[in-house]
Amino acid sequence: MSAMNFFQPQGRSMSKGGVLMLMAPFFVLLVIAFLYPILSLLSISLLEPEPTLRHYEDVVTNPVYARVLFRTLRIALLVSVLSLLLAFPVAWVMARSRGPKLAFITACILLPFWSSVLVRTAAWAVILQRTGLVNEALQFLGITSEPVRLLYTQGAVVVAMVHVLMPFMVLPIYGALRNIPVDYMRAAGILGAGPLRSFREVILPLAMPGVLTGFILVFLTALGYFITPALLGSPQEMMIATLISQQIREVLD
């Protein structure tokens, strides 16, 4: 395809063929890495060991699956809300910062991406163990007389997941806040609105695209999270990804 056909006249927009060419690698990857595995699993669930709906009936009637699914939704929602509460102030400070201060905060947000999720989860296991930093601090301050169980609990899973997923909340909110002119808050103040009302009626509505994007990213990622719940959670309080892993091992073994 020539450049003349790739772009519309005067180069203001791409032709339909150009759009298809740019999107084709993505759609090929989508078919190979997403649609094919999903269709294969659907085929196995409906046709093995014989054509049946028994597997889907088990999901509805077996209380274990319902409890695990409800627990997964609850933890994912809790992680998303906590991430939002912690991320919004950080994104606000980033949006109002310039120069070295902005570079320092950005580096702190992006630094965790330089290490794997497995390493970050292992670090939380060290911190929360019976002889870890948190238990030693609690005993030093006299809050507890002996180590308390922090590891292998839902609390440990939630704290570690918030730490791992919070950058996915900060960056979209920062992008939305960055595009809000500073003059808007000043104009709201001149018109008589206090800081709280200016935030509620001016800043928050304009930041909602970033808030929703970050919330959806964190919630959907938390739904399928595997490493952190598997390493820090209790086997009696597993999430859906851990249960699916067990089921696959049993079926394929």
PDB file of all heavy atoms in Angstrom, residues 86-101:
ATOM      1  N   LEU A  86      -5.660   5.596  48.789  1.00  0.00           N
ATOM      2  CA  LEU A  86      -4.231   5.895  48.940  1.00  0.00           C
ATOM      3  C   LEU A  86      -3.651   6.574  47.706  1.00  0.00           C
ATOM      4  O   LEU A  86      -2.730   7.397  47.813  1.00  0.00           O
ATOM      5  CB  LEU A  86      -3.463   4.591  49.218  1.00  0.00           C
ATOM      6  CG  LEU A  86      -3.766   3.903  50.550  1.00  0.00           C
ATOM      7  CD1 LEU A  86      -3.054   2.561  50.620  1.00  0.00           C
ATOM      8  CD2 LEU A  86      -3.346   4.781  51.718  1.00  0.00           C
ATOM      9  N   ALA A  87      -4.189   6.249  46.537  1.00  0.00           N
ATOM     10  CA  ALA A  87      -3.587   6.742  45.299  1.00  0.00           C
ATOM     11  C   ALA A  87      -3.990   8.172  44.974  1.00  0.00           C
ATOM     12  O   ALA A  87      -3.192   8.924  44.400  1.00  0.00           O
ATOM     13  CB  ALA A  87      -3.976   5.820  44.139  1.00  0.00           C
ATOM     14  N   PHE A  88      -5.215   8.571  45.317  1.00  0.00           N
ATOM     15  CA  PHE A  88      -5.686   9.909  44.916  1.00  0.00           C
ATOM     16  C   PHE A  88      -4.812  11.021  45.497  1.00  0.00           C
ATOM     17  O   PHE A  88      -4.400  11.934  44.751  1.00  0.00           O
ATOM     18  CB  PHE A  88      -7.149  10.103  45.308  1.00  0.00           C
ATOM     19  CG  PHE A  88      -7.832  11.168  44.507  1.00  0.00           C
ATOM     20  CD1 PHE A  88      -8.645  10.851  43.442  1.00  0.00           C
ATOM     21  CD2 PHE A  88      -7.625  12.514  44.804  1.00  0.00           C
ATOM     22  CE1 PHE A  88      -9.252  11.829  42.681  1.00  0.00           C
ATOM     23  CE2 PHE A  88      -8.228  13.501  44.050  1.00  0.00           C
ATOM     24  CZ  PHE A  88      -9.044  13.168  42.991  1.00  0.00           C
ATOM     25  N   PRO A  89      -4.490  11.021  46.803  1.00  0.00           N
ATOM     26  CA  PRO A  89      -3.609  12.088  47.311  1.00  0.00           C
ATOM     27  C   PRO A  89      -2.244  12.092  46.641  1.00  0.00           C
ATOM     28  O   PRO A  89      -1.691  13.165  46.373  1.00  0.00           O
ATOM     29  CB  PRO A  89      -3.496  11.756  48.808  1.00  0.00           C
ATOM     30  CG  PRO A  89      -4.691  10.938  49.117  1.00  0.00           C
ATOM     31  CD  PRO A  89      -4.960  10.146  47.887  1.00  0.00           C
ATOM     32  N   VAL A  90      -1.693  10.906  46.365  1.00  0.00           N
ATOM     33  CA  VAL A  90      -0.390  10.839  45.702  1.00  0.00           C
ATOM     34  C   VAL A  90      -0.487  11.439  44.299  1.00  0.00           C
ATOM     35  O   VAL A  90       0.382  12.225  43.877  1.00  0.00           O
ATOM     36  CB  VAL A  90       0.094   9.382  45.640  1.00  0.00           C
ATOM     37  CG1 VAL A  90       1.413   9.292  44.875  1.00  0.00           C
ATOM     38  CG2 VAL A  90       0.264   8.820  47.038  1.00  0.00           C
ATOM     39  N   ALA A  91      -1.545  11.072  43.567  1.00  0.00           N
ATOM     40  CA  ALA A  91      -1.724  11.608  42.213  1.00  0.00           C
ATOM     41  C   ALA A  91      -1.943  13.119  42.244  1.00  0.00           C
ATOM     42  O   ALA A  91      -1.478  13.844  41.357  1.00  0.00           O
ATOM     43  CB  ALA A  91      -2.904  10.908  41.533  1.00  0.00           C
ATOM     44  N   TRP A  92      -2.643  13.601  43.276  1.00  0.00           N
ATOM     45  CA  TRP A  92      -2.885  15.048  43.404  1.00  0.00           C
ATOM     46  C   TRP A  92      -1.570  15.800  43.601  1.00  0.00           C
ATOM     47  O   TRP A  92      -1.315  16.824  42.960  1.00  0.00           O
ATOM     48  CB  TRP A  92      -3.833  15.292  44.576  1.00  0.00           C
ATOM     49  CG  TRP A  92      -4.055  16.749  44.875  1.00  0.00           C
ATOM     50  CD1 TRP A  92      -3.364  17.534  45.758  1.00  0.00           C
ATOM     51  CD2 TRP A  92      -5.019  17.603  44.262  1.00  0.00           C
ATOM     52  NE1 TRP A  92      -3.839  18.815  45.739  1.00  0.00           N
ATOM     53  CE2 TRP A  92      -4.861  18.893  44.833  1.00  0.00           C
ATOM     54  CE3 TRP A  92      -5.993  17.401  43.296  1.00  0.00           C
ATOM     55  CZ2 TRP A  92      -5.653  19.972  44.468  1.00  0.00           C
ATOM     56  CZ3 TRP A  92      -6.787  18.489  42.934  1.00  0.00           C
ATOM     57  CH2 TRP A  92      -6.611  19.742  43.504  1.00  0.00           C
ATOM     58  N   VAL A  93      -0.718  15.276  44.490  1.00  0.00           N
ATOM     59  CA  VAL A  93       0.587  15.919  44.725  1.00  0.00           C
ATOM     60  C   VAL A  93       1.437  15.853  43.453  1.00  0.00           C
ATOM     61  O   VAL A  93       2.112  16.827  43.093  1.00  0.00           O
ATOM     62  CB  VAL A  93       1.308  15.234  45.904  1.00  0.00           C
ATOM     63  CG1 VAL A  93       2.724  15.781  46.056  1.00  0.00           C
ATOM     64  CG2 VAL A  93       0.529  15.434  47.188  1.00  0.00           C
ATOM     65  N   MET A  94       1.400  14.726  42.753  1.00  0.00           N
ATOM     66  CA  MET A  94       2.154  14.613  41.499  1.00  0.00           C
ATOM     67  C   MET A  94       1.684  15.651  40.483  1.00  0.00           C
ATOM     68  O   MET A  94       2.496  16.286  39.803  1.00  0.00           O
ATOM     69  CB  MET A  94       1.984  13.210  40.901  1.00  0.00           C
ATOM     70  CG  MET A  94       2.764  12.108  41.599  1.00  0.00           C
ATOM     71  SD  MET A  94       2.492  10.512  40.806  1.00  0.00           S
ATOM     72  CE  MET A  94       3.258  10.780  39.195  1.00  0.00           C
ATOM     73  N   ALA A  95       0.368  15.812  40.360  1.00  0.00           N
ATOM     74  CA  ALA A  95      -0.176  16.739  39.365  1.00  0.00           C
ATOM     75  C   ALA A  95       0.176  18.182  39.675  1.00  0.00           C
ATOM     76  O   ALA A  95       0.190  19.027  38.776  1.00  0.00           O
ATOM     77  CB  ALA A  95      -1.696  16.568  39.271  1.00  0.00           C
ATOM     78  N   ARG A  96       0.436  18.479  40.945  1.00  0.00           N
ATOM     79  CA  ARG A  96       0.761  19.858  41.330  1.00  0.00           C
ATOM     80  C   ARG A  96       2.260  20.057  41.513  1.00  0.00           C
ATOM     81  O   ARG A  96       2.688  21.079  42.032  1.00  0.00           O
ATOM     82  CB  ARG A  96       0.024  20.216  42.632  1.00  0.00           C
ATOM     83  CG  ARG A  96      -1.489  20.222  42.499  1.00  0.00           C
ATOM     84  CD  ARG A  96      -1.951  21.333  41.550  1.00  0.00           C
ATOM     85  NE  ARG A  96      -3.402  21.335  41.368  1.00  0.00           N
ATOM     86  CZ  ARG A  96      -4.018  20.741  40.355  1.00  0.00           C
ATOM     87  NH1 ARG A  96      -3.314  20.092  39.432  1.00  0.00           N
ATOM     88  NH2 ARG A  96      -5.335  20.794  40.237  1.00  0.00           N
ATOM     89  N   SER A  97       3.069  19.067  41.143  1.00  0.00           N
ATOM     90  CA  SER A  97       4.519  19.151  41.323  1.00  0.00           C
ATOM     91  C   SER A  97       5.200  19.386  39.980  1.00  0.00           C
ATOM     92  O   SER A  97       4.668  19.059  38.924  1.00  0.00           O
ATOM     93  CB  SER A  97       5.053  17.866  41.968  1.00  0.00           C
ATOM     94  OG  SER A  97       4.443  17.649  43.229  1.00  0.00           O
ATOM     95  N   ARG A  98       6.389  19.920  40.054  1.00  0.00           N
ATOM     96  CA  ARG A  98       7.204  20.158  38.871  1.00  0.00           C
ATOM     97  C   ARG A  98       8.657  19.822  39.181  1.00  0.00           C
ATOM     98  O   ARG A  98       9.062  19.752  40.341  1.00  0.00           O
ATOM     99  CB  ARG A  98       7.125  21.633  38.435  1.00  0.00           C
ATOM    100  CG  ARG A  98       5.744  22.105  38.033  1.00  0.00           C
ATOM    101  CD  ARG A  98       5.276  21.474  36.725  1.00  0.00           C
ATOM    102  NE  ARG A  98       4.012  22.050  36.268  1.00  0.00           N
ATOM    103  CZ  ARG A  98       2.823  21.657  36.684  1.00  0.00           C
ATOM    104  NH1 ARG A  98       2.746  20.672  37.587  1.00  0.00           N
ATOM    105  NH2 ARG A  98       1.725  22.225  36.222  1.00  0.00           N
ATOM    106  N   GLY A  99       9.447  19.622  38.142  1.00  0.00           N
ATOM    107  CA  GLY A  99      10.882  19.491  38.292  1.00  0.00           C
ATOM    108  C   GLY A  99      11.321  18.268  39.094  1.00  0.00           C
ATOM    109  O   GLY A  99      10.737  17.179  38.981  1.00  0.00           O
ATOM    110  N   PRO A 100      12.367  18.442  39.929  1.00  0.00           N
ATOM    111  CA  PRO A 100      12.917  17.306  40.685  1.00  0.00           C
ATOM    112  C   PRO A 100      11.902  16.632  41.605  1.00  0.00           C
ATOM    113  O   PRO A 100      11.960  15.422  41.805  1.00  0.00           O
ATOM    114  CB  PRO A 100      14.055  17.944  41.492  1.00  0.00           C
ATOM    115  CG  PRO A 100      14.418  19.170  40.732  1.00  0.00           C
ATOM    116  CD  PRO A 100      13.160  19.668  40.111  1.00  0.00           C
ATOM    117  N   LYS A 101      10.994  17.437  42.175  1.00  0.00           N
ATOM    118  CA  LYS A 101       9.985  16.848  43.065  1.00  0.00           C
ATOM    119  C   LYS A 101       9.093  15.864  42.314  1.00  0.00           C
ATOM    120  O   LYS A 101       8.827  14.751  42.786  1.00  0.00           O
ATOM    121  CB  LYS A 101       9.135  17.965  43.678  1.00  0.00           C
ATOM    122  CG  LYS A 101       8.111  17.474  44.687  1.00  0.00           C
ATOM    123  CD  LYS A 101       7.320  18.651  45.249  1.00  0.00           C
ATOM    124  CE  LYS A 101       6.240  18.176  46.222  1.00  0.00           C
ATOM    125  NZ  LYS A 101       5.444  19.333  46.728  1.00  0.00           N
TER     126      LYS A 101
END
